[in-house]
Amino acid sequence: MEDAIRRHFDKIIEDAKAVLEDVEIEQDYSVKRALLKISGIFRNFKVRITEVIDEDKRKYAYYLIRKD
């Protein structure tokens, strides 16, 4: 399952890099969970995306923050 999660995260990172500027990525993998955090700039917004995959489910958080 870990390989599938890494491929899933790789696709999200690829898409984020295609549309965001100043992309920052954090990934963390352990036996019980996988974490992906992405932040970047889209037009006049700061974008933050987090996905956590654990044994039970997937959790998401996403924010668009106006820079001004």
Side-chain angles (χ1 to χ4, degrees), residues 12-68:
I12 293 170
I13 291 167
E14 179 183 322
D15 291 345
K17 286 181 175 180
V19 297
L20 300 176
E21 297 176 10
D22 300 326
V23 178
E24 295 178 14
I25 297 165
E26 178 184 338
Q27 296 181 71
D28 185 48
Y29 299 91
S30 71
V31 175
K32 295 192 176 203
R33 64 133 179 91
L35 169 73
L36 173 64
K37 290 184 177 184
I38 299 174
S39 63
I41 305 295
F42 180 75
R43 297 184 182 168
N44 199 33
F45 293 93
K46 177 79 172 174
V47 177
R48 295 189 179 223
I49 303 165
T50 301
E51 181 172 359
V52 179
I53 302 173
D54 63 25
E55 296 171 331
D56 297 327
K57 58 188 164 193
R58 294 174 186 240
K59 301 170 198 142
Y60 304 92
Y62 46 92
Y63 302 92
L64 289 174
I65 304 164
R66 188 173 296 183
K67 287 175 33 176
D68 58 355

